[in-house]
């Protein structure tokens, strides 16, 4: 399997090189040049298998020839042994034909753990094989950072720098990032918002001298390996509700578009998905784009679902590429216009293709709060504010006879204030994280200036 850039100017790479490269050298994102196909019968045979067994089967075509099968199998099994639920990503019912896919049983209580636990081990494996080191830089609106730090802490072959927007992540998210004692981990509090942090990371990838001097690598969902790992739970959940004999829909709380793009990939690979529903908070650029065909940036507003307070949805570029029929020139033109004017208009055929797979909706802070309250009353279940956005939007898009799976992207205890405001009860962290908020913090505040951040990284990396 080769991976090509959405902008068509970078050399196609193998899986290992794609994973270590992160972003393509032309500024584009890597995508598989074709989708592996799973037949109806092959999908039917996934029923009853463990999460790890399905994960190995679904991901194998993406890594085949690059990693030995036995090594890959043990990496997958080790990764998901860190989860505190036997099913890894279980489903719970929250309404009539409505299910929540709990993706937060990993070490940092967010869906990011599903991919990050795997990438940490895969990167280590490849770097060891090649006797190389890497400097990993990531941007976070709260969850990616904690999950990445947990997955990479103490790994000798990597130094990790996580840029988070100061004052815009929840206290639990912040403590998860800042309480690591590992020497290879650096939490950087940037005076800006998530989009600023993400823009700096992309600029570092586009700055060839810096990129080469530190052996730059990335763990945001610009990295294809992140998406690959997230495809798996679309298969496990759909199969447990009767796929491929039955079609299901997914509603996904969306920010950077990585999670829902993994659902699109699953559909392209043969999983019978009716609709993929993009659920946004007040930062509703994607819902507006689906309505109007115009991707048009406005300022970021702060909400009770901070991890989705995003304007520049990186992975939407991957969708534009696939929906345009792999037209890298079309994508390059969109991205050029976005950079110049903060907006672009999608061609009618490409928009039509997108609308055939996706629907979108939004929930504001009040609607998220009401949904947390409603679900608590209806089924004694506590949602986090991100998953609540998903449930609210899902309830507006249900179709008779089609099970709706909402992705439960974080544990409620990561956002205790928002949950308490809705239910009156503050959710507890699990016992094994009970001392988190009393752990000592260690982070470096930096201004939102590329040069200052690059200098800091160059000085502190061992690559
Ligand atoms: C809890 C939570 N929900 C939803 C999202 C949005 O996911 P994505 O960025 O993959 O669209 C994020 C951040 O990525 C998150 O941390
Ligand atoms: N919501 C994310 C933002 C970064 O997204 P990623 O999936 O590209 O890593 C976060 O919590 O950091």
């Amino acid at each position: 399997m080769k991976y090509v850039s959405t902008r068509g100017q970078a050399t196609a790479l193998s899986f290992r090189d794609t994973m270590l490269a992160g972003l393509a050298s032309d500024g584009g994102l890597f995508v598989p040049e074709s989708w592996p196909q799973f037949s109806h019968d092959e999908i039917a045979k996934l029923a009853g298998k463990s999460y790890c067994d399905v994960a190995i089967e679904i991901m194998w075509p993406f890594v085949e020839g690059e990693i030995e099968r036995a090594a890959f199998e043990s990496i997958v099994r080790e990764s998901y042994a860190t989860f505190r639920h036997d099913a890894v990503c279980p489903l719970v019912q929250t309404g009539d034909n409505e299910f929540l896919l709990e993706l937060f049983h990993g070490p940092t209580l967010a869906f990011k753990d599903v991919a990050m636990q795997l990438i940490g081990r895969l990167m280590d494996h490849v770097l060891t094989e090649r006797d190389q080191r890497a400097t990993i830089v990531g941007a976070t609106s709260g969850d990616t950072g904690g999950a990445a730090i947990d997955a990479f802490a103490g790994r000798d072959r990597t130094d990790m720098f996580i840029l988070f927007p100061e004052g815009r992540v929840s206290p639990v998210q912040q403590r998860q990032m800042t309480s690591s004692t590992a020497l290879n981990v650096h939490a950087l509090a940037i005076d800006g918002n998530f989009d600023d942090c993400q823009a700096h990371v992309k600029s570092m990838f586009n700055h060839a001298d810096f990129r080469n001097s530190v052996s730059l690598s990335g763990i945001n969902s610009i990295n294809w390996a992140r998406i690959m790992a997230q495809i798996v739970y679309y298969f496990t959940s759909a199969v447990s509700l009767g796929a491929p004999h039955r079609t299901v829909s997914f509603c996904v709380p969306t920010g950077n578009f990585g999670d829902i793009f993994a659902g699109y990939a699953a559909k392209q690979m043969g999983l019978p998905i009716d609709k993929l529903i993009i659920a946004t908070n007040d930062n509703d650029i994607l819902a507006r784009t689906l309505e109007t065909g115009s991707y048009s940036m406005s300022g970021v507003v702060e909400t009770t679902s901070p991890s989705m307070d995003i304007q520049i949805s990186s992975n939407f570029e991957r969708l534009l590429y696939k929906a345009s029929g792999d037209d890298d020139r079309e994508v390059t033109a969109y991205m050029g216009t976005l950079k110049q004017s903060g907006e672009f208009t999608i061609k009618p055929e490409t928009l039509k293709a997108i609308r055939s797979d996706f629907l979108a909706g939004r929930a504001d802070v009040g609607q998220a709060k009401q949904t947390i309250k409603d679900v608590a009353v209806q089924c004694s279940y506590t949602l986090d504010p991100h998953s609540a956005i998903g449930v609210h939007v899902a309830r507006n898009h249900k179709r008779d006879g089609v099970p709706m799976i909402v992705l439960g992207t974080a544990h409620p205890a990561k956002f205790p204030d928002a949950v308490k405001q809705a239910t009156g009860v503050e959710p507890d962290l699990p016992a094994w994280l009970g001392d988190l908020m009393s752990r000592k913090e260690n982070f470096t505040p930096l201004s939102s200036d590329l040069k200052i951040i690059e200098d800091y990284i160059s000085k502190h990396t061992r690559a």
Side-chain angles (χ1 to χ4, degrees):
M1 172 75 75
K2 285 280 183 199
Y3 296 85
V4 295
S5 165
T6 49
R7 302 200 192 168
Q9 298 301 309
T11 315
L13 298 182
S14 65
F15 174 78
R16 283 181 298 184
D17 289 333
T18 299
M19 180 174 67
L20 291 183
L23 196 67
S25 58
D26 58 2
L29 276 73
F30 283 110
V31 283
E33 67 188 347
S34 62
W35 295 113
Q37 293 301 306
F38 285 81
S39 68
H40 190 277
D41 282 357
E42 285 168 326
I43 296 172
K45 283 189 190 138
L46 299 176
K49 292 198 174 175
S50 71
Y51 188 89
C52 287
D53 286 346
V54 176
I56 291 162
E57 276 193 49
I58 296 299
M59 292 191 284
W60 181 244
F62 293 111
V63 303
E64 190 172 4
E66 289 283 300
I67 296 177
E68 278 178 23
R69 176 85 180 192
F72 185 62
E73 287 188 7
S74 65
I75 286 171
V76 170
R77 292 191 199 288
E78 266 179 39
S79 303
Y80 298 118
T82 65
F83 278 57
R84 285 165 168 87
H85 195 291
D86 288 346
V88 182
C89 300
L91 270 180
V92 296
Q93 187 153 8
T94 50
D96 184 23
N97 231 359
E98 176 192 284
F99 302 85
L100 192 85
L101 176 57
E102 292 185 335
L103 299 172
F104 47 74
H105 293 284
T108 68
L109 313 178
F111 81 93
K112 310 287 177 170
D113 290 320
V114 176
M116 220 60 89
Q117 288 295 317
L118 184 81
I119 296 197
R121 289 171 173 80
L122 278 176
M123 274 208 191
D124 218 30
H125 178 81
V126 174
L127 289 169
T128 305
E129 245 179 17
R130 294 181 171 184
D131 192 19
Q132 282 177 7
R133 299 183 49 78
T135 300
I136 296 173
V137 182
T140 188
S141 53
D143 284 334
T144 291
I149 287 172
D150 185 275
F152 283 86
R155 295 197 185 274
D156 275 351
R157 291 188 173 270
T158 43
D159 290 303
M160 168 160 277
F161 299 84
I162 295 296
L163 281 56
F164 71 91
E166 184 155 31
R168 293 173 187 246
V169 299
S170 82
V172 173
Q173 288 177 316
Q174 172 153 334
R175 200 62 69 125
Q176 284 179 323
M177 289 187 274
T178 58
S179 60
S180 174
T181 52
L183 295 177
N184 67 329
V185 160
H186 306 264
L188 308 179
I190 305 299
D191 175 21
N193 60 32
F194 169 74
D195 288 321
D196 300 325
C197 297
Q198 177 158 257
H200 289 316
V201 171
K202 286 188 177 170
S203 299
M204 289 179 220
F205 275 100
N206 291 326
H207 182 182
D209 287 347
F210 175 78
R211 178 180 182 145
N212 297 334
S213 71
V214 300
S215 303
L216 188 62
S217 196
I219 43 69
N220 279 106
S221 55
I222 52 174
N223 192 320
W224 168 255
R226 280 275 310 277
I227 308 294
M228 174 185 82
Q230 292 171 205
I231 296 170
V232 174
Y233 47 70
Y234 285 89
F235 277 89
T236 55
S237 58
V239 166
S240 73
L241 291 179
H245 315 293
R246 207 175 175 206
T247 298
V248 300
S249 284
F250 287 92
C251 186
V252 187
T254 297
N256 230 358
F257 207 78
D259 212 6
I260 197 160
F261 186 77
Y264 174 81
K267 186 170 182 181
Q268 303 309 308
M269 290 161 70
L271 188 66
I273 295 177
D274 180 28
K275 291 290 178 198
L276 290 157
I277 301 155
I278 303 165
T280 72
N281 64 17
D282 288 303
N283 298 288
D284 61 352
I285 186 164
L286 291 167
R288 284 186 284 115
T289 304
L290 252 80
E291 273 157 28
T292 64
S294 172
Y295 189 102
S296 176
M297 282 169 44
S298 53
V300 181
V301 293
E302 288 185 44
T303 71
T304 50
S305 44
S307 298
M308 290 159 61
D309 292 348
I310 296 176
Q311 283 289 307
I312 304 173
S313 274
S314 287
N315 285 281
F316 197 62
E317 178 166 346
R318 284 190 163 115
L319 178 64
L320 290 167
Y321 177 79
K322 288 294 179 189
S324 66
D326 297 0
D327 189 341
D328 49 58
R329 282 183 303 183
E330 185 178 322
V331 175
T332 306
Y334 291 149
M335 293 305 135
T337 315
L338 181 65
K339 198 167 178 187
Q340 272 171 7
S341 62
E343 62 186 331
F344 63 88
T345 300
I346 304 173
K347 280 187 172 177
E349 319 83 82
T350 306
L351 185 61
K352 190 172 168 206
I354 292 174
R355 284 180 174 155
S356 69
D357 288 315
F358 290 89
L359 297 171
R362 62 177 75 68
D364 63 23
V365 168
Q367 288 165 325
K369 182 177 170 185
Q370 188 61 43
T371 307
I372 297 175
K373 197 172 171 180
D374 290 347
V375 171
V377 171
Q378 288 155 6
C379 44
S380 305
Y381 187 87
T382 310
L383 291 170
D384 95 282
H386 303 75
S387 310
I389 303 261
V391 171
H392 176 89
V393 173
R395 289 184 172 180
N396 290 335
H397 287 89
K398 274 190 180 170
R399 289 210 306 144
D400 278 351
V402 182
M404 174 70 81
I405 302 175
V406 180
L407 270 52
T409 50
H411 190 289
K414 291 194 92 164
F415 308 96
D417 295 346
V419 173
K420 189 171 178 191
Q421 276 170 28
T423 62
V425 182
E426 187 166 318
D428 288 332
L429 282 165
W432 48 275
L433 274 177
D435 69 335
L436 178 74
M437 298 312 286
S438 58
R439 292 182 199 163
K440 193 168 164 285
E441 285 198 277
N442 178 20
F443 65 93
T444 305
L446 288 180
S447 57
S448 184
D449 179 303
L450 181 63
K451 172 95 177 53
I452 291 177
I453 301 168
E454 282 186 349
D455 285 349
Y456 183 92
I457 294 172
S458 299
K459 195 169 156 203
H460 290 86
T461 191
R462 296 168 296 166

